[in-house]
Amino acid sequence: MGEVAVLGIGMHPWGKFPKKNLNSICRVAVDAALADAGVNWKEVGAVAAASSRFSGGKGWGLNGNDIVEDMGSTGLPVYNLSAGCAAGANAFNVGHMMVASGAHDVVLVVGGEKMPKGFIQTSGLEDETDPEYLRQRCVGLPGPGFWALLTRQRMEEYGTSHEDLAAVAVKAHKVGTHNENARFRQLFSLEDVLNSNMVSDPLRLYEICPVSDGAAAVVLCSAEYARKKASNPVWAASSAVATARFDDGLPRGLGCVPSPGRTHHSEARISVAKALEAAEIGPKDLDFVELQDNTVYYELAFPEEWGMCEPGQSESLLHKGETLPNGSMPINPSGGFLCFGEATTAQGLFQICEVAWQLRGEAGERQVPGAKIGMAQSIGLGGNGTAAVLKR
Amino acid sequence: MTDSSPVHAAKDLFVETSDGPRLLGSRCETCRAPYFPSSEACHNPDCDHSDIQPAHFGPHGTLWSVTVQNYPPPPPVVASDPYSPYAVGLVDLETDGLRVIGRLHVEDPASVKVGGPVELVLAPLGQGQDGHEVISWQFEPR
């Protein structure tokens, strides 16, 4: 397999843009990524795009086709990838494979989304064979409640406090305030977070991510092509995808058959382990990580579950400032989902953009000093998990 | 007069037996994997012969975690009117090997303790959009 370079990155800022259509939002990201790469549209050999169920794509998730029609139909192949909130990262994985395999020299990966108002209702179906429908109809547990169950369990097992949870949000905004692409850039005090509305106990409004509009694009290319265009490109050392195991401890429908121990989110654990192994590094070799923080819980739990630190250690690292960009275990220097909000299928690619900016040393006030190797990680409905390691 | 007679939240998920309420599911007789809702085939990748038979689950379990739903979710969620926050738990059922989700049948949702014993009951969630009272499985702290 050949080496894969991240030659260009581009983003439309995250926010709510009722007057803009999805194409125009995606166009900003794609134009920026192509310009950043120094690549002409006609040089792009294939497109891997995240499929959305919320916007564009002709109602069939054909979001890549929308991009191609907008940019100019050259007859190139398009792959529309669906993986819930992991779709952008899933498309990145397919783009990575297309370049690594030698099938294409230059691939554009893109994800863009305009989200409906309110919390995501993960199923639109009214069908008694759909476990998500049954979970809402028979029990009543929207997304934030799902995260709240995980959070409460951690509080019981490790003694995580409400103040610990709020401190994650305070830290996210302390970093995200420096990111011009982030939507929520205001600074919060611990009291601000603790006084925000309780949504799904124990999680408060400022501790979960709302929905946003946004788009991000990435140009991937072969080593040979990269040498012609850039003297010192960022490399995608690995890209991995996984799905949840049968014995995962987190019911995605009404029930599950857990193995003993902390077995939940196996899709994240497996994809991260695969990505680290393929990059030939250990979890403690990462200079920083962009992880999927739909809620503050994940910023505490995931680093422990992946071996970046010891179980139960995250709170003390947080309070010592070790998860800030200049700390020993920087997490989400972009400000993360808490500062961006979730444009579901674009999330995995805003993470790639941030990791690449960090590795280039172009992240300004939120720069991780001397960052040489970083990871992007996402999860999505259906038990989809992804991880990618980038280095320079 | 509108018909407000109780209806089940979904078909074939729970039943009242002479020993009390039970969840309706199935179990693979080869690998003993339990399924709720019932499955037509065994999904255990380590099981080489699917042999699915109907099974009852419950009523005793331990609360693995709990959350209180502080705002009213949209339909098809059924809740009391006017809305009052309710608790949802993840319950590890005794002897069944199954972790299952369910609303908690309790007066004060904030009083529920993780790790405590719970028992399966059938109780109303509230009134559905069509005016019928909607019954579902719930767990009552003991």
Side-chain angles (χ1 to χ4, degrees):
Chain A
M1 300 286 270
E3 286 185 290
V4 180
V6 180
L7 193 61
I9 45 184
M11 203 187 280
H12 183 290
W14 262 231
K16 290 306 279 182
F17 308 104
K19 290 181 181 157
K20 289 191 179 186
N21 64 40
L22 180 60
N23 270 354
S24 69
I25 289 174
C26 289
R27 182 71 180 237
V28 169
V30 171
D31 281 345
L34 290 172
D36 185 48
V39 166
N40 184 289
W41 166 245
K42 285 193 274 188
E43 296 176 83
V44 174
V47 169
S51 279
S52 167
R53 81 165 247 255
F54 297 109
S55 54
K58 309 175 203 309
W60 287 76
L62 305 176
N63 297 70
N65 296 82
D66 290 349
I67 302 287
V68 167
E69 287 163 19
D70 187 48
M71 295 302 295
S73 300
T74 59
L76 84 176
V78 173
Y79 300 85
N80 294 293
L81 286 313
S82 181
C85 300
N90 198 285
F92 181 85
N93 178 259
V94 170
H96 184 271
M97 283 194 288
M98 285 196 282
V99 174
S101 68
H104 296 283
D105 273 337
V106 183
V107 172
L108 174 71
V109 186
V110 59
E113 190 90 81
K114 276 178 67 100
M115 293 295 291
K117 282 183 183 167
F119 291 112
I120 301 168
Q121 298 300 309
T122 45
S123 167
L125 303 174
E126 290 220 358
D127 174 353
E128 287 199 4
T129 64
D130 177 48
E132 177 58 29
Y133 168 76
L134 288 177
R135 196 176 77 177
Q136 300 310 337
R137 167 77 178 168
C138 302
V139 181
L141 188 79
F146 186 81
W147 306 326
L149 285 168
L150 285 165
T151 309
R152 172 61 69 190
Q153 198 279 334
R154 181 179 178 88
M155 293 172 90
E156 293 296 323
E157 184 160 350
Y158 292 122
T160 306
S161 67
H162 287 281
E163 287 72 19
D164 293 331
L165 298 174
V168 176
V170 171
K171 171 251 159 200
H173 288 269
K174 191 173 174 181
V175 185
T177 193
H178 300 299
N179 193 339
E180 66 274 14
N181 287 308
R183 176 178 172 196
F184 303 104
R185 298 178 63 188
Q186 64 271 51
L187 290 169
F188 287 145
S189 68
L190 205 63
E191 290 68 34
D192 291 335
V193 180
L194 289 170
N195 289 331
S196 67
N197 285 340
M198 187 65 86
V199 175
S200 295
D201 190 301
L203 292 175
R204 294 175 163 87
L205 188 62
Y206 294 167
E207 295 169 344
I208 58 180
C209 83
V211 297
S212 288
D213 306 337
V218 176
V219 176
L220 298 176
C221 74
S222 63
E224 191 185 358
Y225 192 93
R227 271 190 286 275
K228 289 190 283 189
K229 295 280 185 180
S231 56
N232 186 17
V234 169
W235 298 96
S238 67
S239 170
V241 165
T243 47
R245 283 177 55 89
F246 176 74
D247 60 358
D248 193 284
L250 195 59
R252 316 299 166 115
L254 300 180
C256 66
V257 193
S259 280
R262 295 182 72 80
T263 54
H264 33 285
H265 278 314
S266 51
E267 74 277 35
R269 184 166 35 85
I270 296 168
S271 57
V272 166
K274 283 167 71 177
L276 293 175
E277 187 187 352
E280 298 178 334
I281 59 166
K284 290 181 172 140
D285 297 326
L286 291 165
D287 292 328
F288 69 101
V289 60
E290 281 287 320
L291 60 79
Q292 181 157 340
D293 60 326
N294 286 104
T295 168
V296 292
Y297 162 83
Y298 286 117
E299 189 161 323
L300 299 173
F302 273 160
E304 297 174 0
E305 290 171 16
W306 305 336
M308 292 173 63
C309 63
E310 302 308 309
Q313 197 188 5
S314 282
E315 287 81 357
S316 67
L317 291 172
L318 166 73
H319 295 307
K320 286 182 203 153
E322 302 294 1
T323 57
L324 286 165
N326 60 357
S328 62
M329 191 181 77
I331 299 174
N332 292 2
S334 69
F337 286 29
L338 291 177
C339 293
F340 272 71
E342 191 169 22
T344 52
T345 56
Q347 297 301 99
L349 295 172
F350 107 64
Q351 293 181 324
I352 296 289
C353 292
E354 175 68 14
V355 174
W357 274 317
Q358 290 285 347
L359 296 177
R360 290 175 177 181
E362 296 173 1
E365 294 282 311
R366 62 181 197 282
Q367 180 67 44
V368 173
K372 294 276 182 270
I373 188 154
M375 183 172 73
Q377 171 276 334
S378 74
I379 47 177
L381 184 67
N384 287 294
T386 76
V389 173
L390 272 54
K391 65 181 179 186
R392 195 171 186 197
Chain B
M1 281 277 292
T2 53
D3 176 13
S4 63
S5 58
V7 295
H8 282 191
K11 280 184 297 188
D12 304 329
L13 288 180
F14 48 87
V15 64
E16 185 70 49
T17 72
S18 54
D19 292 329
R22 295 290 184 271
L23 295 176
L24 284 173
S26 56
R27 188 184 283 285
C28 176
E29 293 300 319
T30 308
C31 72
R32 306 297 297 158
Y35 292 97
F36 176 70
S38 181
S39 174
E40 288 181 19
C42 183
H43 306 310
N44 180 359
D46 295 326
C47 177
D48 53 15
H49 178 66
S50 177
D51 180 9
I52 295 287
Q53 300 297 331
H56 286 181
F57 300 121
H60 300 289
T62 305
L63 196 62
W64 186 80
S65 191
V66 64
T67 176
V68 179
Q69 183 62 32
N70 241 39
Y71 66 94
V77 176
V78 181
S80 58
D81 182 21
Y83 183 78
S84 66
Y86 57 84
V88 172
L90 277 178
V91 171
D92 285 331
L93 290 176
E94 243 173 53
T95 71
D96 292 324
L98 188 69
R99 179 172 293 164
V100 65
I101 191 168
R103 201 175 289 191
L104 296 179
H105 190 244
V106 59
E107 197 72 14
D108 174 16
S111 67
V112 178
K113 295 276 178 280
V114 171
V118 294
E119 187 170 339
L120 185 70
V121 296
L122 302 183
L125 300 171
Q127 211 167 46
Q129 285 181 300
D130 55 7
H132 289 277
E133 189 173 62
V134 179
I135 308 283
S136 191
W137 77 91
Q138 302 194 35
F139 291 99
E140 195 168 285
R142 292 296 188 205

